[in-house]
Amino acid sequence: MEVLHVITGLERGGAEGVLLRLAGSAPGQHEVAVLRPGIGLRGHFHAAGVKVHELAIGGAAQALPGLWRLARLIRQLRPQIVQGWLYHGDLFATAALALSRRRKATRLVWSVRASDMDAARYARLHRIGAWASRFPDLVTYNSAAGRRFHERVGYRPRASALVDNGIDISRFHQDPEVGSRLRATLQIPDEATVAIALGRNDPMKNWPGLLAAVRDVPGLTLLAAGTGTEALPNQPGLVRLGARDDVAALLAASDLFVLASSHGEGFSNALGEAMASALPCIATDVGDAARVLGGTGLVVPPGDASALRAALAALSADPARRRALGSAARDRIATHFTVQHMLDRFDALYADLITHTLHLRPPVHPGDP
């Protein structure tokens, strides 16, 4: 089986990390075409043995030449499946496959990774995607919330399936020694109570709401990690880390995790990684956060600063409850959301596509509406 993946960029993000785990599991069967130039995770893909093809689309003027380069690449590689990732990757994969004149021989898959993205920023892409959603043989979603949202805005694919993100439980786990060393590096006492939030500095992540909630929880330190977090307004107890490669160590150095997003999340990789690290988690009820937690953490309404503050205060003051919830969270990830679960799901869908046995809206993950 040969799959050519088409993705917008290889920045440090959830979709990019999932693609790395998928393609890196069998690098001889997966290659990646990336639309935008940049560094990001390219070194990780190369280290995993995954071939990356650069389309060098740095702006609108390079879009058409890049599209033709992608069409020629499809003709050259003759993959059995072309799989788009994220909105632009999906659309470029669709157009290039048509231009390659291999549409009859090659299956087309879209990967939709978000739910209710900001309409002011994404309405045009949603309209184009809804119109073009008739063309792929399969649209995969990483959340039930994402599928419901995109069907509401007009997506009508021939078939769709839920594929949960796979979390690497060998990388993300409790490691007190690593955590203690990192605390020392960050000059945080071992006895301090430390919360962590992971995510770029973007309106959907609701950093202002989280900072306001943390401000009123006495003695709580917050680690803020992700692209742009170094520019967050400073306040007592806040450690602004910016983009980091040592997420597993940061989680090991923390006592609890918080996801404060206001909208847009599908299946949050950060949430899954924190759960695998045996951290008790607080999440706003966005995307599939409540389904992923499955009762092993606290869920609060998005945009409700008082509820978020109360949840942070409750877990900060109760170490025994934190331990119990963290243990249950790791068990849930190990049981339902490992990398192997994800790989098995993709492999089954790919096989069904190749053998033409895929049915409309095939059976999905238990618990998916």
Side-chain angles (χ1 to χ4, degrees):
M1 187 185 302
E2 298 90 25
V3 185
L4 175 64
H5 301 274
V6 182
I7 191 165
T8 309
L10 289 180
E11 293 82 7
R12 301 174 190 278
E16 295 81 0
V18 168
L19 176 55
L20 175 60
R21 294 193 285 277
L22 173 60
S25 70
Q29 297 175 12
H30 299 266
E31 296 188 19
V32 175
V34 57
L35 304 184
R36 289 199 304 241
I39 300 174
L41 294 175
R42 280 164 174 77
H44 295 267
F45 278 83
H46 292 310
V50 180
K51 188 168 185 179
V52 175
H53 303 271
E54 302 286 349
L55 299 176
I57 302 174
Q62 292 87 44
L64 191 56
L67 180 62
W68 280 108
R69 283 194 291 274
L70 181 55
R72 286 195 297 270
L73 181 64
I74 292 171
R75 283 200 300 270
Q76 172 193 337
L77 296 180
R78 302 168 65 87
Q80 292 173 293
I81 296 170
V82 170
Q83 181 165 351
W85 291 74
L86 308 173
Y87 294 136
H88 290 93
D90 291 340
L91 295 173
F92 267 78
T94 303
L97 183 55
L99 290 172
S100 75
R101 300 183 181 179
R102 287 195 50 80
R103 183 63 184 94
K104 290 184 179 179
T106 301
R107 306 278 73 79
L108 176 64
V109 178
W110 283 9
S111 303
V112 177
R113 315 295 301 174
S115 57
D116 55 336
M117 298 298 285
D118 181 8
R121 296 168 62 186
Y122 292 93
R124 184 166 176 267
L125 274 175
H126 288 156
R127 288 194 299 271
I128 296 170
W131 174 83
S133 65
R134 73 191 80 177
F135 298 119
D137 300 288
L138 172 69
V139 173
T140 65
Y141 299 94
N142 74 338
S143 68
R147 177 153 69 182
R148 289 193 298 269
F149 171 78
H150 285 86
E151 289 180 350
R152 284 200 304 272
V153 299
Y155 276 53
R156 295 295 182 269
R158 305 174 191 181
S160 66
L162 179 68
V163 183
D164 289 315
N165 292 349
I167 306 300
D168 185 351
I169 59 174
S170 65
R171 178 185 174 201
F172 294 98
H173 57 85
Q174 282 185 312
D175 196 330
E177 290 186 10
V178 167
S180 182
R181 286 199 299 270
L182 187 56
R183 281 193 179 212
T185 300
L186 297 174
Q187 298 182 326
I188 298 172
D190 282 341
E191 64 272 15
T193 302
V194 177
I196 184 170
L198 303 171
R200 66 191 182 279
N201 188 2
D202 183 277
M204 70 174 275
K205 301 298 183 181
N206 189 29
W207 284 104
L210 175 57
L211 296 184
V214 169
R215 229 177 356 248
D216 295 329
V217 181
L220 182 63
T221 297
L222 175 67
L223 304 182
T227 302
T229 55
E230 70 279 6
L232 291 171
N234 201 10
Q235 66 182 49
L238 175 64
V239 182
R240 302 171 296 175
L241 297 170
R244 300 281 293 218
D245 280 327
D246 57 346
V247 171
L250 290 171
L251 291 169
S254 304
D255 296 300
L256 61 103
F257 170 85
V258 57
L259 175 72
S261 296
S262 58
H263 63 281
E265 299 284 355
F267 183 128
S268 167
N269 280 286
L271 176 61
E273 290 162 2
M275 292 171 67
S277 302
L279 288 183
C281 297
I282 300 166
T284 48
D285 193 6
V286 293
D288 275 17
R291 180 177 71 88
V292 174
L293 279 169
T296 68
L298 305 185
V299 179
V300 300
D304 189 335
S306 62
L308 185 59
R309 186 182 307 112
L312 286 164
L315 285 188
S316 297
D318 195 340
R321 189 183 184 193
R322 291 203 303 266
R323 287 192 295 271
L325 289 175
S327 177
R330 178 168 173 83
D331 288 347
R332 180 159 175 78
I333 294 296
T335 302
H336 297 290
F337 303 116
T338 65
V339 172
Q340 195 58 53
H341 284 105
M342 179 185 74
L343 297 179
D344 289 347
R345 182 70 167 136
F346 270 122
D347 284 346
L349 290 169
Y350 291 157
D352 286 348
L353 280 170
I354 297 302
T355 58
H356 303 281
T357 57
L358 188 70
H359 302 293
L360 228 85
R361 278 189 70 110
V364 294
H365 189 286
D368 180 35

